[in-house]
Amino acid sequence: MGDGGVGRRTFLAAMTGSGTAAGAVATDAAADGTTGTAAAGGREEEIRALVGRMTVAEKLGQLQQLSWTGATGPGGSQTAAAERAAKKGELGSVLNILGARHSNALQRIAVEESRLGIPLVFGLDVIHGFWTTFPIPLAQAASFDPETARVDGEVSAKEARSQGIHWTFSPMMDVTHEPRWGRIAESCGEDPYLTAAFAAAKTRGYQGTDLKAKDRVAACAKHFVAYGGAEGGRDYNTVDVSESRLRNLYLPPFKAALDAGCATVMASFNTLSGIPAHANSHTLTEILKEDWEFDGVVVSDWNGVGELLPHGFAADGADAGRIALHAGVDMEMVSTHLADHGEELLAAGRIKEERLDDAVARVLRLKYALGLFENPYVDESEAVPGPTPEARQAAREVAARSMVLLKNEGGVLPLAPGKAVAVVGPYADSRDLHGTWAGPGGEKFPPVTVLHGIRNVAGRGAKVTYGVGATKAADVVVVVVGEGAKLSGEAASRSDLGLPGDQEELIAAVAATGIPFVVVLLNGRPLTIGNWVESASAVLEAWHPGIEGGNAIADVLYGKVNPGGKLPASFPRNVGQIPVHYNHENTGRPYDPENPGNTFITGYLDVDRTPQYPFGYGLSYTTFELGEPRASVERIAVAELKRGERIEVEVSVRNTGEVAGDEVVQLYVHDPVASLVQPVRRLRGFERVTLGAGESTVVRFSLGAEDFGFWTNAVDGRFVVEPGRLDFFVGTSSRATASCTLHLE
Ligand code: GLC
């Protein structure tokens, strides 16, 4: 995953093969056959001409996004305000508008009743499904198969665009080491490389190659940046990171998403080393717009501009608007400080017309790319009314592919069809399977419950009972526990990661029966499960699996799908252990296996130094064996790598069991001596392979400078590849031990 590249084609260029920001490489022919430069020049000319015709009030209006319904807090329901502003041609965008009929009605006001008829762009949080809820993004990451995210993006875009939505505030790509943070559910976990792969895939799923298409929406890389670093895992809390950690841990997924053509970026609520992200010209302008040549739209988060006041960074609303605009925010979501104060700020020379015009041009550019000037309305007769069978099947497959088998003793899984199964627990027949940010589908289309799914898959004659009372006659008990969606997502940080309520008591009661039991976890974050995991014969991590959750869980329990997922975030043994992630530094006092009695090492007196389960871990119903990894060369000159030379690391993998299954072969890099202390492991390759019983294959990883180097603490951004030894570890989790080395000269 490249993060060492400089410059990039603009999202417009990536979308239509046209449009090049200054300095970006000219592109191939545009969709309409004209050469990129000509089409871009034409469109840019149109944008400049339109900006030239706009009044200051109309320009400021283009930078305003209001919420249409269901908004509480600072924006409230701004429907009436939106209609008034649209009529005056002083509104750029609306979020939370639902239904093609409503969006067309509001669009008609903007297009047919305002002076210039500039169309509105409609945004919505389509995070893991519009009608068809897919598993939460953290679950999708557990599949270690970015195709799952692309499919979610594609299905979601088709449903959303048909209902009048042009723009989704997704993918979220905040790397985090904090399972206490509720928004880990929306993330892809603790690793930047995995997150980057999913960010790019989901962007492609949403956007396709032409934003004008009736089944595509503009994507939004969020939250820019380092939101997942919130101290204590408390949402919205302080983030204080070095430049190197910003560039090595938090930024790579954003670069990958923009390299995939992501049309927009959303600023984050947190401060970054004392500067709020909404006021941070270093990240929003120097890195994003100058280094990366991003020519799309930066939208604030909800009232993010207004929050510069409580942050203690802006003196009043006018100050907040001025600061945000000049830091690099182009559109203000829900708060209206720029619209309210922009004219006076401009007249007083406190904001520059050039910056204002640039922001307006970015918004117009997005609308052109979406085809809204040619076709501002959506065909209501083509509105997708709900999940189709194909969409549900896709969601079912993605959910099963995302599940992680944490434990399976005595071959209790997969369940044999003839077994008498008792299904118990607060989530056994619960509809709380959609997870956070479930979108309109979460409200309208209940999921398949676990009990329902088990009855579907076990078949007619199966003996499936429900409730604790039924356990006596059971051969095996399935205990379905977890945390509800309300404990997950935004403003849902937890200080205790145990199963809420008396669920642990329920597990103990089932254990006391002596009947083998399986625990199915439905959760939006890593949990602390040490109190009961030993007592369970099997544990299946099913996350919040979405609309087809019950069927997907049953598919895995009965072996119709052999689980192959891996943990995208480490499971801590207790909250005190956090942060406990695989990509940590070694410290000067690491654990020394040669000297296990030495207690003067980094760790705790009262808990093991390792997590309950590590990043990249997951079992299968079969077993796999990996050979020794081999590098294609033993040494290579740094200069050759910088010229683009690549090396390969290959490893054989064999299915040594009785049934077909998936394994995720993972490659980690470690630089043992560097001018900046390096993590003990960095994921730089993964491949999920499916093998029949006894089958084998060879997995090959192609690696280059971007995999061996790192960003330094230089504020102007310096990516270095240094001579010396590199160790490669290849295995089926971040605990991989099989290794080979490469010498950089
Ligand atoms: C929320 C979230 C952001 C979301 C936005 C609009 O506060 O932080 O992710 O896209 O508001 O709903």
Side-chain angles (χ1 to χ4, degrees):
M1 191 54 51
D3 56 12
V6 283
R8 59 179 290 279
R9 290 198 323 170
T10 64
F11 88 86
L12 190 68
M15 287 300 95
T16 57
S18 64
T20 54
V25 176
T27 61
D28 45 35
D32 58 10
T34 53
T35 58
T37 316
R43 186 172 296 117
E44 289 303 309
E45 198 36 57
E46 281 178 51
I47 290 170
R48 266 192 295 278
L50 183 49
V51 173
R53 294 171 52 209
M54 294 168 75
T55 64
V56 170
E58 288 165 337
K59 289 178 182 177
L60 291 165
Q62 274 310 303
L63 310 188
Q64 181 65 63
Q65 181 181 66
L66 295 177
S67 177
W68 195 65
T69 61
T72 53
S77 175
Q78 298 172 318
T79 308
E83 289 166 349
R84 280 195 305 276
K87 192 180 181 74
K88 290 162 67 180
E90 294 176 8
L91 184 62
S93 173
V94 172
L95 79 151
N96 293 333
I97 190 162
L98 289 180
R101 189 163 55 83
H102 294 306
S103 60
N104 277 342
L106 187 56
Q107 190 71 293
R108 209 159 280 116
I109 296 174
V111 171
E112 297 172 22
E113 299 183 30
S114 74
R115 185 175 77 92
L116 292 173
I118 297 173
L120 300 169
V121 58
F122 296 125
L124 183 72
D125 292 286
V126 185
I127 309 300
H128 54 107
F130 182 87
W131 291 138
T132 310
T133 46
F134 281 73
I136 55 173
L138 187 64
Q140 292 178 28
S143 72
F144 273 68
D145 174 7
E147 183 62 6
T148 59
R150 195 195 62 74
V151 167
D152 168 4
E154 192 154 272
V155 170
S156 302
K158 183 174 180 148
E159 296 176 349
R161 190 76 185 250
S162 83
Q163 289 285 346
I165 299 299
H166 309 121
W167 177 19
T168 175
F169 304 124
S170 177
M172 185 270 214
M173 50 195 77
D174 302 311
V175 175
T176 188
H177 292 156
E178 264 295 349
R180 289 175 288 184
W181 190 44
R183 303 200 79 165
I184 192 171
E186 304 167 54
S187 83
C188 291
E190 68 192 44
D191 180 78
Y193 185 84
L194 183 70
T195 301
F198 276 78
K202 194 135 196 195
T203 296
R204 292 196 179 95
Y206 286 132
Q207 298 192 164
T209 54
D210 181 3
L211 285 182
K212 291 183 181 139
K214 292 195 285 190
D215 57 356
R216 299 293 179 180
V217 293
C220 182
K222 76 182 187 182
H223 305 79
F224 198 75
V225 63
Y227 185 20
E231 289 178 0
R234 278 206 310 281
D235 209 351
Y236 318 118
N237 202 12
T238 303
V239 175
D240 201 312
V241 282
S242 62
E243 190 72 20
S244 59
R245 176 161 291 198
L246 175 69
R247 289 176 180 269
N248 290 311
L249 187 69
Y250 295 111
L251 282 174
F254 289 89
K255 184 67 170 59
L258 297 189
D259 284 349
C262 194
T264 68
V265 170
M266 180 183 289
S268 59
F269 287 126
N270 54 289
T271 55
L272 268 162
S273 309
I275 312 284
H278 280 73
N280 202 307
S281 57
H282 175 53
T283 47
L284 287 176
T285 298
E286 289 166 11
I287 294 178
L288 180 64
K289 293 184 175 179
E290 292 171 358
D291 291 356
W292 294 356
E293 297 181 348
F294 176 64
D295 70 350
V297 174
V298 173
V299 63
S300 83
D301 200 336
W302 185 283
N303 189 41
V305 174
E307 290 181 8
L308 294 180
L309 278 79
H311 269 303
F313 202 80
D316 53 30
D319 211 17
R322 171 186 65 80
I323 291 168
L325 180 68
H326 275 279
V329 172
D330 300 309
M331 181 176 276
E332 183 173 2
M333 180 191 286
V334 167
S335 56
T336 58
H337 300 299
L338 249 183
D340 295 345
H341 305 285
E343 295 207 42
E344 85 198 53
L345 287 167
L346 193 62
R350 297 183 63 206
I351 60 172
K352 294 193 178 61
E353 184 134 34
E354 183 193 1
R355 174 63 193 110
L356 176 61
D357 289 356
D358 169 61
V360 173
R362 289 168 182 269
V363 173
L364 298 179
R365 191 173 296 130
L366 174 64
K367 294 178 177 182
Y368 269 109
L370 285 161
L372 298 182
F373 284 93
E374 299 138 68
N375 186 3
Y377 305 114
V378 64
D379 182 341
E380 292 169 37
S381 69
E382 291 180 356
V384 174
T388 63
E390 297 74 21
R392 295 186 80 113
Q393 182 56 29
R396 179 169 177 167
E397 286 168 15
V398 167
R401 205 162 170 75
S402 305
M403 291 179 197
V404 184
L405 182 62
L406 297 177
K407 183 181 179 188
N408 186 27
E409 282 172 359
V412 75
L413 290 178
L415 299 175
K419 289 260 185 203
V421 177
V423 187
V424 305
Y427 292 91
D429 201 26
S430 160
R431 293 185 162 186
D432 194 353
L433 272 64
H434 284 307
T436 186
W437 294 105
E443 305 293 323
K444 196 172 174 189
F445 298 99
V448 176
T449 70
V450 177
L451 177 65
H452 195 135
I454 288 176
R455 286 188 163 140
N456 284 345
V457 175
R460 280 196 171 292
K463 289 168 278 186
V464 176
T465 54
Y466 171 45
V468 180
T471 50
K472 290 186 200 55
D475 298 319
V476 61
V477 182
V478 175
V479 189
V480 191
V481 290
E483 55 176 6
K486 285 197 172 25
L487 295 180
S488 189
E490 184 174 356
S493 298
R494 292 180 64 197
S495 66
D496 174 350
L497 299 185
L499 286 169
D502 56 4
Q503 298 183 91
E504 291 196 6
E505 288 77 0
L506 168 67
I507 292 173
V510 172
T513 66
I515 302 168
F517 67 97
V518 178
V519 173
V520 175
L521 281 174
L522 299 176
N523 46 305
R525 57 162 50 86
L527 298 175
T528 49
I529 62 176
N531 291 345
W532 53 264
V533 68
E534 289 313 314
S535 66
S537 306
V539 180
L540 178 67
E541 175 53 79
W543 313 106
H544 286 139
I547 193 166
E548 282 290 324
N551 282 332
I553 288 168
D555 287 340
V556 171
L557 291 177
Y558 281 93
K560 297 206 179 318
V561 173
N562 185 347
K566 302 286 184 176
L567 293 180
S570 307
F571 272 49
R573 292 178 188 275
N574 61 32
V575 172
Q577 223 186 18
I578 297 167
V580 60
H581 46 279
Y582 90 92
N583 39 4
H584 60 81
E585 294 179 0
N586 203 32
T587 77
R589 292 279 180 105
Y591 170 74
D592 175 4
E594 308 295 314
N595 183 4
N598 174 14
T599 55
F600 288 81
I601 61 168
T602 181
Y604 300 93
L605 291 175
D606 54 0
V607 70
D608 189 283
R609 72 189 200 293
T610 61
Q612 187 80 45
Y613 293 110
F615 174 88
Y617 169 85
L619 299 175
S620 168
Y621 294 149
T622 184
T623 51
F624 294 90
E625 211 165 77
L626 267 60
E628 287 303 310
R630 273 182 345 101
S632 51
V633 293
E634 288 184 1
R635 54 191 67 250
I636 185 168
V638 168
E640 283 185 80
L641 287 169
K642 286 183 174 175
R643 279 198 299 273
E645 197 63 34
R646 303 186 71 75
I647 67 118
E648 271 201 352
V649 174
E650 67 173 40
V651 65
S652 66
V653 51
R654 171 185 299 280
N655 178 343
T656 51
E658 309 295 316
V659 294
D662 287 11
E663 183 52 277
V664 179
V665 180
Q666 302 156 49
L667 177 136
Y668 297 86
V669 175
H670 178 223
D671 184 341
V673 179
S675 62
L676 194 75
V677 169
Q678 292 299 296
V680 293
R681 302 267 165 107
R682 289 196 307 144
L683 180 72
R684 295 306 298 185
F686 61 89
E687 185 172 335
R688 180 165 175 161
V689 295
T690 300
L691 293 171
E695 271 184 3
S696 63
T697 186
V698 174
V699 173
R700 291 183 179 80
F701 298 106
S702 168
L703 303 160
E706 73 278 8
D707 300 304
F708 305 146
F710 53 85
W711 293 91
T712 70
N713 277 312
V715 174
D716 58 355
R718 191 125 358 105
F719 186 83
V720 297
V721 182
E722 298 178 338
R725 190 185 96 222
L726 287 177
D727 296 326
F728 297 128
F729 296 95
V730 178
T732 58
S733 87
S734 55
R735 284 191 182 144
T737 52
S739 66
C740 60
T741 58
L742 173 70
H743 293 275
L744 304 190
E745 298 166 330

